[in-house]
Amino acid sequence: MKVLLVGSGGREHAIAWKLAQSPRISKLFCAPGNAGTAETAQNIPIPAEDIHSLLDFAKKEKIDFTIIGPEAPLVLGVVDLFTQNGLRIFGPTKAAAQLEGSKIFMKQMLVKASVPTAQYHTFTALAPALAHLDTAQFPLVVKADGLAAGKGVLVTADKKEAADFISASMSQKMFGESGEKIIIEQFLDGEEASYIVASDGQRFVPLASAQDHKRAFDGDNGPNTGGMGAYSPAPVVTPELEQKIKETIITPLIDTMRREGAEFRGFLYAGIMVVKGEPLVLEFNARLGDPETQPLLFRYQGDLLDLLEASAAGDVSKIKLEWKNDVAVCIVIASGGYPGEFKKGFPIEGLGSCSGNSFVFHAGTKLDGGRVVTAGGRVLGVTASAPTIKEATKLAYECAAKIKFTGMAYRKDIAHRAISRSSKPA
Ligand code: AMP
Ligand code: GLY
């Protein structure tokens, strides 16, 4: 069958790499893709947000199934558009994708579903938001309501910093419309965990656990990013915690979404803070995580297409996922300056030099006259697997050391928490 994959990040290269192993796919297109997806799919120069051109392409090429990687087209309603035109597509509808597209909507759903989350206040005007800071407890967290490419959240103990961020968001429109409304929420002190399931609207299949590193610099310092590395499984998600997450978060949320007329089919990604052993929701994403997808799909056994089609068709009850026992680790190599300003267009050397159980997923790359050059903030996701987290991390770093481009930057301590947990006596 003919499949169209939408997106251009490391997540999409990992999905394309996995789909290329499916015997049922005769032709895979990727829109717009990157230099990595070009190796296994035919890249089509349509931006992920141009949902009408995607529809035209899918009709013209008689695409049998479309898979959406990133959040932006979901929030714009690509799934509704394709479905209205009789085309099969994987991902949540516009209404369901609001779980990621609006933090206020997400919080409302959590309250309706009685799911534990940080206490919060919603603000639609600047003056009351600033006034709230006079009585609020610090540290606190300010969040732009809409999509802001991972930059719309400030965690701070400093009142002036909070006020500046709120003004930049609501008044100077630093995040455009996305930041006109904000929430201010209670700071939760704990350990972060991610939990991803594939839902068919009623039931769900959990993926293996995975964890990312959000901060730019070693020691989990510096600004928040989309993710500088990830690993799977994540020892923080113990069987007891997983049970609590399923019972107190995923099940009530999926039930509530259906009751509210926003049935959620697709990947549901819960960002969780574990406080004194109890999971509280920080955020939901309506898609797979990037870079969590890279180590997850490295461990995934079986045909990914089976899962995606079952979710889209509304019945995952027959799906049984299997995962390799090996641990997988992904190290993101970024452009110097990311998540701030950075330059693009630098040739990348050493891409062919990793082999065996390591693989270089592309993210912000493109082909420039036959050469692979940098084209984004997060450039590559070097991924490796091995029987232990220590060995997998060593392998991934050995591979990363072979890659060179001007200004490249990566963290040297990916998986440090999981490694220290694994070396502690049980
Ligand atoms: P979010 O996009 O809501 O997940 O926020 C991005 C990051 O900000 C999270 O991964 C956390 O590291 C941090 N964060 C968000 N909300 C809170 C909170 N209530 N307490 C502590 N940290 C938070
Ligand atoms: N790595 C976090 C995310 O994909 O949102």
Side-chain angles (χ1 to χ4, degrees), residues 103 118 141 143 150 153 155 185-189 192 214-215 224 271 273 282-283:
K103 301 239 185 221
V141 187
K143 298 184 176 182
V153 175
V155 179
E185 74 177 29
Q186 171 199 16
F187 173 79
L188 298 175
D189 195 5
E192 278 186 64
K214 291 225 167 51
R215 301 297 192 102
N224 262 318
M273 190 71 89
L282 291 179
E283 63 160 348

Side-chain angles (χ1 to χ4, degrees), residues 212-221 228-231 329-332 389 393 397 410-420:
D212 72 342
H213 288 267
K214 291 225 167 51
R215 301 297 192 102
F217 309 133
D218 285 8
D220 291 319
N221 290 310
M228 295 301 289
Y231 49 93
V329 176
C330 170
I331 291 150
V332 169
I389 181 94
T393 309
Y397 276 115
Y410 58 89
R411 278 182 57 165
K412 307 293 184 296
D413 66 344
I414 295 305
H416 66 94
R417 278 218 185 88
I419 291 172
S420 61

Side-chain angles (χ1 to χ4, degrees), residues 11 212 214 226-227 269 283 285 287-292 378:
R11 167 184 48 220
D212 72 342
K214 291 225 167 51
Y269 170 130
E283 63 160 348
N285 295 321
R287 52 170 173 84
L288 283 176
D290 188 344
E292 292 91 327
R378 293 187 292 170

Side-chain angles (χ1 to χ4, degrees), residues 123-148:
F123 296 95
T124 54
L126 181 65
L130 293 175
H132 178 77
L133 298 179
D134 292 333
T135 53
Q137 268 212 325
F138 284 82
L140 49 67
V141 187
V142 185
K143 298 184 176 182
D145 177 47
L147 297 181

Side-chain angles (χ1 to χ4, degrees), residues 28 35 40 44 46 85 183-184 191 193 223 293 299 332-333 347 405:
L28 179 62
T40 46
I44 303 298
I46 303 175
N85 281 273
I183 62 177
I184 300 181
E191 189 170 357
T293 305
R299 299 186 56 224
V332 169
I333 305 187
F405 62 84

Side-chain angles (χ1 to χ4, degrees), residues 110-122:
L110 291 183
V111 170
K112 282 198 168 120
S114 303
V115 170
T117 187
Q119 285 173 20
Y120 74 107
H121 296 268
T122 301

Side-chain angles (χ1 to χ4, degrees), residues 9-213:
R11 167 184 48 220
E12 285 75 28
H13 186 196
I15 296 172
W17 170 84
K18 191 70 205 169
L19 289 177
Q21 299 163 21
S22 171
R24 293 199 287 125
I25 298 180
S26 55
K27 177 88 191 167
L28 179 62
F29 295 97
C30 190
N34 58 35
T37 62
E39 286 166 13
T40 46
Q42 183 180 335
N43 283 354
I44 303 298
I46 303 175
E49 296 79 25
D50 187 353
I51 63 174
H52 292 280
S53 298
L54 290 172
L55 176 67
D56 291 344
F57 176 81
K59 279 183 173 165
K60 192 176 99 226
E61 282 293 335
K62 300 200 167 48
I63 298 290
D64 297 295
F65 191 54
T66 298
I67 300 159
I68 305 298
E71 62 278 16
L74 296 170
V75 170
L76 289 170
V78 69
V79 170
D80 311 57
L81 185 67
F82 272 55
T83 309
Q84 283 152 15
N85 281 273
L87 296 179
R88 290 197 304 135
I89 183 163
F90 169 81
T93 59
K94 183 175 182 166
Q98 283 301 303
L99 264 192
E100 176 163 7
S102 165
K103 301 239 185 221
I104 297 173
F105 174 85
M106 174 202 63
K107 286 287 202 179
Q108 287 166 344
M109 288 299 125
L110 291 183
V111 170
K112 282 198 168 120
S114 303
V115 170
T117 187
Q119 285 173 20
Y120 74 107
H121 296 268
T122 301
F123 296 95
T124 54
L126 181 65
L130 293 175
H132 178 77
L133 298 179
D134 292 333
T135 53
Q137 268 212 325
F138 284 82
L140 49 67
V141 187
V142 185
K143 298 184 176 182
D145 177 47
L147 297 181
K151 296 186 182 151
V153 175
L154 175 76
V155 179
T156 185
D158 185 86
K159 190 171 163 186
K160 178 167 182 319
E161 197 185 7
D164 288 348
F165 185 86
I166 292 169
S167 301
S169 179
M170 300 185 88
S171 168
Q172 281 109 273
K173 310 258 191 290
M174 178 166 67
F175 310 114
E177 271 181 34
S178 287
E180 285 175 0
K181 297 183 213 158
I182 61 162
I183 62 177
I184 300 181
E185 74 177 29
Q186 171 199 16
F187 173 79
L188 298 175
D189 195 5
E191 189 170 357
E192 278 186 64
S194 309
Y195 195 72
I196 310 176
V197 304
S199 176
D200 63 11
Q202 292 188 56
R203 293 151 291 226
F204 61 90
V205 201
L207 304 196
S209 61
Q211 191 55 50
D212 72 342
H213 288 267

